[in-house]
Amino acid sequence: MEKKVSASVINRLPRYYRYLTDLLSSGIERISSKELSERMHVTASQIRQDLNCFGGFGQQGYGYNVKSLQSEIAKILGLDRGYTAVLVGAGNMGRTFAINTKFESRGFRLIGIFDTDPKKIGTTLTRYTIMDYKNIKEFIDTHHPEMAILAVPKQVIHGVAEELIGYGIRAFLNFSYTELSTAEDVAVENVHLSDSLMRLSYKLLEHDQNEDKKQESEV
Amino acid sequence: MEKKVSASVINRLPRYYRYLTDLLSSGIERISSKELSERMHVTASQIRQDLNCFGGFGQQGYGYNVKSLQSEIAKILGLDRGYTAVLVGAGNMGRTFAINTKFESRGFRLIGIFDTDPKKIGTTLTRYTIMDYKNIKEFIDTHHPEMAILAVPKQVIHGVAEELIGYGIRAFLNFSYTELSTAEDVAVENVHLSDSLMRLSYKLLEHDQNEDKKQESEV
């Protein structure tokens, strides 16, 4: 991949990846941008713009080859690297993420879950036995995961991240309801669930304003 | 607001709103784009581009007035509307969201939590007593919430959404690990936690590739 893909296209690629994976599992091998656009509720021209920038996939009269498009997106996102991850924190956030995320079909392997709570250590969460966080260094030394998913209280997030960077972790998915910033050579994705509530508010406001305009024009 | 703000700016506004709220609560009343850029880890020119498009806030030699910028963003996002929400589902996802989201400081009011599980109904979650989902119509008729936060299993999401639309709900925040699509006049924000894992993968891949390039140029 030499070509630089824009940040907003990158942001949209996971959603394309999910849809294409679903299509494949329903046995659909090719799809037109029109059909894909109807399923995904985005315009066909947006789809062509997003997807045509990395290769001549959409052929006139043929549409997209679902499998090649999916593997190209996987390559761009690094989903073909088989990155491995540990989950730190088996509270509500950690549990919902572990239970509901299709790691394998997204190209990842979750290889261990850790917590500090004696009541949780030794119990199972999906197919994992929760391990004692104090043994995480040994685990990382042996298994070399690249990523850590942090679902720990925000008060401890920076300490935990620093410690894990020391053990060789190079990427963090941060669910701690605060922003994590680290050295430049560490990858961080901060997830702020309340941002989604504010985005919903914007959408609702737009609907309300359209409604107002309709009523004005009817008067 | 007559001027149309682009979708990618809208996507970034919640993060600005959070930072500005934090600044205000630490008593900071004005800030330069340079300072804000250092705190937020985005370029100062990106900040100017994002924020100057809705009003002449950034004055040369003065910087941004934090309070006015925050209230302008609140207006754009509809956070000044005092939208009210109910939470449906008090499982792991619902619990973490209820416990950790600062509804009020984001401009919302959470007014009720519902579940179908007899073991949960009547117990408390933060300062709410979990109510029986079968009484939700009555509650909506009385209190008229605009939004519902859906943290229910994906198998039931479409049924629940349809039911609540029937009762007058006009906006959904969907945490059910599947996409919800509804009639055009209903606002939906689908949250896909696994997308954030794919975005992290992309960032890690970028780091790895930069590392490779460095090593090549050192050889």
Side-chain angles (χ1 to χ4, degrees):
Chain A
M1 268 313 293
E2 284 304 310
K3 200 150 21 128
K4 186 82 186 160
V5 183
S6 84
S8 50
V9 175
I10 294 297
N11 262 328
R12 287 192 289 268
L13 287 185
R15 187 160 179 258
Y16 284 113
Y17 187 81
R18 275 191 281 114
Y19 269 85
L20 294 167
T21 306
D22 288 352
L23 287 173
L24 274 183
S25 64
S26 0
I28 296 172
E29 286 172 13
R30 55 162 112 166
I31 191 164
S32 67
S33 48
K34 184 163 172 292
E35 265 177 284
L36 192 57
S37 117
E38 280 161 10
R39 281 174 186 257
M40 293 185 65
H41 300 276
V42 290
T43 65
S45 83
Q46 169 87 76
I47 288 183
R48 283 189 297 264
Q49 238 178 57
D50 284 352
L51 301 185
N52 292 1
C53 70
F54 39 84
F57 295 107
Q59 280 171 43
Q60 202 74 37
Y62 177 90
Y64 296 101
N65 178 314
V66 177
K67 181 78 204 132
S68 1
L69 190 53
Q70 190 225 29
S71 30
E72 188 64 19
I73 293 178
K75 254 188 244 166
I76 294 169
L77 293 175
L79 309 181
D80 60 338
R81 296 284 170 128
Y83 287 135
T84 53
V86 290
L87 168 63
V88 182
N92 291 311
M93 186 67 234
R95 298 183 80 83
T96 183
F97 193 71
I99 292 167
N100 293 292
T101 304
K102 298 171 187 157
F103 290 96
E104 272 81 9
S105 77
R106 305 295 179 249
F108 300 94
R109 278 193 308 129
L110 180 65
I111 58 171
I113 301 179
F114 294 85
D115 203 292
T116 54
D117 181 355
K119 273 183 256 152
K120 286 179 186 146
I121 296 164
T123 63
T124 60
L125 174 50
T126 71
R127 55 193 172 85
Y128 304 89
T129 301
I130 298 173
M131 291 178 275
D132 190 341
Y133 180 73
K134 74 167 190 258
N135 302 322
I136 200 168
K137 182 181 185 307
E138 205 187 315
F139 185 90
I140 294 175
D141 284 346
T142 313
H143 299 284
H144 309 287
E146 288 92 1
M147 299 176 163
I149 299 153
L150 301 180
V152 300
K154 61 181 165 192
Q155 294 79 6
V156 302
I157 184 84
H158 281 93
V160 170
E162 264 176 52
E163 194 175 349
L164 297 182
I165 290 171
Y167 302 159
I169 295 288
R170 299 178 295 117
F172 295 101
L173 184 60
N174 172 22
F175 283 120
S176 71
Y177 293 88
T178 191
E179 251 170 79
L180 175 65
S181 55
T182 62
E184 289 263 314
D185 59 341
V186 175
V188 177
E189 179 75 12
N190 290 300
V191 180
H192 279 277
L193 297 177
S194 73
D195 287 6
S196 57
L197 192 58
M198 294 192 252
R199 286 187 195 111
L200 178 65
S201 172
Y202 176 79
K203 287 180 181 174
L204 177 56
L205 180 66
E206 269 196 321
H207 283 278
D208 284 355
Q209 288 172 339
N210 290 340
E211 208 47 49
D212 289 350
K213 272 183 209 155
K214 255 191 239 164
Q215 286 180 356
E216 275 167 32
S217 68
E218 279 163 13
V219 171
Chain B
M1 269 314 292
E2 284 305 309
K3 202 153 15 131
K4 187 80 187 164
V5 183
S6 84
S8 49
V9 175
I10 294 296
N11 262 328
R12 286 192 290 268
L13 287 185
R15 186 159 179 259
Y16 285 112
Y17 187 81
R18 275 191 280 115
Y19 269 84
L20 295 167
T21 306
D22 288 352
L23 288 173
L24 274 183
S25 64
S26 3
I28 296 171
E29 287 172 12
R30 54 161 111 167
I31 192 163
S32 67
S33 49
K34 185 164 171 291
E35 264 178 283
L36 192 57
S37 116
E38 280 161 10
R39 281 175 187 257
M40 294 185 65
H41 301 275
V42 289
T43 65
S45 84
Q46 169 88 77
I47 287 183
R48 283 191 296 265
Q49 237 179 58
D50 284 352
L51 301 185
N52 293 0
C53 71
F54 39 84
F57 295 107
Q59 282 170 42
Q60 202 72 40
Y62 177 91
Y64 296 102
N65 177 314
V66 177
K67 181 77 204 134
S68 1
L69 191 54
Q70 191 224 27
S71 29
E72 189 64 19
I73 292 178
K75 253 187 248 167
I76 295 169
L77 293 175
L79 308 182
D80 61 337
R81 296 284 170 127
Y83 286 135
T84 53
V86 290
L87 168 63
V88 182
N92 291 311
M93 186 66 234
R95 297 184 81 82
T96 183
F97 194 70
I99 293 168
N100 293 292
T101 302
K102 299 171 185 156
F103 290 96
E104 273 82 9
S105 75
R106 306 293 180 249
F108 300 94
R109 278 193 308 130
L110 180 64
I111 58 170
I113 301 179
F114 294 84
D115 204 292
T116 55
D117 181 355
K119 274 183 257 154
K120 286 180 185 145
I121 296 164
T123 64
T124 61
L125 174 50
T126 72
R127 55 194 175 81
Y128 303 89
T129 300
I130 297 172
M131 291 178 275
D132 190 340
Y133 180 74
K134 75 168 189 259
N135 301 323
I136 200 166
K137 181 180 186 307
E138 206 187 316
F139 185 91
I140 294 174
D141 284 347
T142 312
H143 299 284
H144 309 288
E146 288 91 1
M147 300 175 163
I149 300 154
L150 301 180
V152 300
K154 62 181 164 194
Q155 294 79 4
V156 303
I157 184 83
H158 281 94
V160 169
E162 262 175 55
E163 194 175 350
L164 296 181
I165 291 170
Y167 301 160
I169 296 288
R170 298 178 296 118
F172 295 101
L173 184 59
N174 171 22
F175 283 120
S176 71
Y177 294 86
T178 191
E179 250 169 82
L180 175 64
S181 56
T182 63
E184 289 262 314
D185 60 342
V186 175
V188 178
E189 178 75 13
N190 290 300
V191 180
H192 279 277
L193 297 177
S194 72
D195 286 7
S196 56
L197 192 58
M198 294 192 253
R199 287 188 194 110
L200 178 64
S201 173
Y202 175 79
K203 288 179 181 174
L204 177 56
L205 180 66
E206 270 196 320
H207 282 279
D208 285 354
Q209 288 171 339
N210 290 339
E211 209 46 50
D212 290 350
K213 272 184 210 156
K214 256 192 239 163
Q215 285 179 357
E216 275 168 30
S217 67
E218 279 162 15
V219 170

